[in-house]
Amino acid sequence: MTAMPTPLERVRAAVRLESSDAAVPVVPQITYANASIVGTPFQEAMHDPVKMAKTLVAGYRMLGYDGIYVGWESSFNLVAEAMGCTLKPGGGGIPTVSGGIVSGPSDLDKVIVADPERSGRLPLHLKALEVVRGEVGRDVPLFRYVPGPLTLASLLRGQGRFLGDLIRSPDLVRELLKLATETSNLFAAAVADRGADVLVIADPMASTSVISPAMFENFALPYIREVISEVRKVGCVPSLHICGRTGPILKKMVEAGPRIVELDYPVDMKAAKEEIGKSVCIEGNIDPVSTLLHGRPEDVEAEAEKCISMAGRDGGFILSSGCEVPLDTPAENIIAMVSASRRGRQSP
Ligand SMILES: [Zn+2]
């Protein structure tokens, strides 16, 4: 009898694009949504790395998926705070950046290149990674979001103004992107040092739901590529997460050098598999709000099966949510996703 593969082996095989008759790996992008499932107040874990880590591990053990996204609030908000921005509570108490700190080129010196060991709450997140690793050992892959430079730069400036800058002030944009890339690289090295396996560059502003493919090529791609090469240098698997619609830029996303491309729910998985599935592992893409938050377990199972049949039949696929799992998502829906993956064989 052969031993069951460990979660790390399952994910590793998918990243290497190996096909087998094993079950499809499943890694929902669930961080703070574990708060309501496990019963930890969101705010408490935000300021307490041990509580954060224990909540993530308790969710993992209760729901039985194949990897842990170690984090809490969005990485770009967390890192923007460490670079000098302030946060305010948004929907559900989840913090958002209260506004940009760069009103013009003369304000660039207000931006701090964050030191992951000291700035803001970054040290808390490094500690949480250490605690999770200590709890689950080496057999469970740890995923860690790192902010995409374009999104981080937009928060430093203020997102409305930044979108106008892409047309009117490209020089200021590039200055901000340099600071953002430098900080993302430092954070990537620090989380690699604390035992993360997969570093996920999360860049929602780079989506073609927000900017044009030409802007992606000019202002997002070169900087994402820099962070990905840092991730490779520090020995981790790079994953690229861009929310919303990304169909027109799939090939460009692969050119940036990730080994996993995370696709959100609007992306056609069948077309994506045909276009990029031979060169990169695809992860996704159950609708996080309509299906995971508001749907019933049978809706989740049906959508998971559809994802597997479109993209998971010959390996190189990780079943996941299209984006971050929302707060108050019912545990039964994550369990339904996991059981669909266990039934979903990779062989046709
Ligand atoms: Zn997303």
Side-chain angles (χ1 to χ4, degrees):
M1 207 180 92
T2 45
M4 283 276 285
T6 64
L8 181 65
E9 285 164 350
R10 277 198 189 106
V11 168
R12 227 182 228 162
V15 171
R16 290 179 181 151
L17 310 180
E18 290 167 7
S19 87
S20 72
D21 61 357
V24 170
V26 55
V27 188
Q29 296 168 45
I30 180 166
T31 56
Y32 57 73
N34 272 313
S36 43
I37 290 171
V38 173
T40 307
F42 174 88
Q43 291 291 338
E44 277 180 27
M46 199 176 135
H47 298 282
D48 180 339
V50 175
K51 235 170 221 171
M52 190 192 294
K54 301 247 177 199
T55 304
L56 295 170
V57 172
Y60 163 76
R61 290 194 172 133
M62 187 191 292
L63 305 169
Y65 37 84
D66 289 319
I68 305 177
Y69 276 76
V70 181
W72 204 247
E73 74 274 29
S74 295
S75 65
F76 29 85
N77 290 332
L78 171 79
V79 176
E81 181 192 43
M83 295 180 80
C85 293
T86 51
L87 299 183
K88 62 174 184 192
I94 297 157
T96 56
V97 170
S98 53
I101 52 171
V102 177
S103 341
S106 61
D107 284 343
L108 282 167
D109 57 7
K110 285 187 187 162
V111 178
I112 304 155
V113 171
D115 175 352
E117 310 293 339
R118 278 176 202 83
S119 307
R121 286 172 304 111
L122 300 185
L124 262 66
H125 280 246
L126 299 184
K127 176 74 185 165
L129 254 172
E130 284 174 12
V131 177
V132 173
R133 179 56 84 205
E135 291 270 331
V136 301
R138 280 300 322 168
D139 287 343
V140 181
L142 303 186
F143 291 58
R144 170 69 228 189
Y145 289 117
V146 170
L150 193 74
T151 304
L152 186 52
S154 75
L155 292 172
L156 300 171
R157 171 79 166 130
Q159 289 188 315
R161 287 189 298 203
F162 188 80
L163 284 173
D165 295 339
L166 292 175
I167 297 157
R168 289 185 292 275
S169 310
D171 292 344
L172 177 60
V173 168
R174 291 194 193 284
E175 290 301 323
L176 289 163
L177 281 165
K178 267 188 228 162
L179 293 163
T181 305
E182 196 182 338
T183 299
S184 286
N185 282 347
L186 290 170
F187 189 53
V191 295
D193 180 61
R194 297 322 203 277
D197 300 289
V198 179
L199 300 199
V200 182
I201 293 109
D203 214 349
M205 281 292 279
S207 169
T208 50
S209 297
V210 185
I211 60 170
S212 69
M215 282 174 175
F216 174 82
E217 224 175 319
N218 267 326
F219 297 111
L221 180 61
Y223 303 92
I224 290 172
R225 191 183 272 136
E226 274 190 49
V227 181
I228 286 179
S229 67
E230 177 68 16
V231 171
R232 285 178 177 259
K233 210 170 82 190
V234 294
C236 294
V237 171
S239 180
L240 179 54
H241 176 113
I242 300 181
C243 313
R245 284 193 300 275
T246 47
I249 52 167
L250 287 178
K251 282 202 176 112
K252 295 280 165 206
M253 286 168 72
V254 173
E255 275 177 33
R259 297 195 66 194
I260 304 171
V261 168
E262 300 182 8
L263 299 175
D264 203 351
Y265 75 94
V267 179
D268 178 336
M269 287 300 254
K270 193 164 183 286
K273 183 73 175 178
E274 277 162 21
E275 201 174 346
I276 60 170
K278 289 218 168 10
S279 49
V280 76
C281 173
I282 290 175
E283 179 179 317
N285 73 342
I286 297 175
D287 189 324
V289 177
S290 304
T291 310
L292 284 177
L293 178 61
H294 298 303
R296 299 159 304 167
E298 49 268 42
D299 303 322
V300 176
E301 291 199 21
E303 201 170 318
E305 281 160 14
K306 203 170 147 211
C307 288
I308 293 168
S309 74
M310 288 195 290
R313 283 295 177 223
D314 50 358
F317 177 66
I318 298 169
L319 180 66
S320 185
S321 43
C323 195
E324 182 93 44
V325 173
L327 201 60
D328 300 326
T329 293
E332 306 85 80
N333 283 357
I334 305 295
I335 291 168
M337 183 176 171
V338 173
S339 42
S341 83
R342 299 297 179 236
R343 284 195 309 275
R345 299 286 129 176
Q346 294 176 28
S347 50

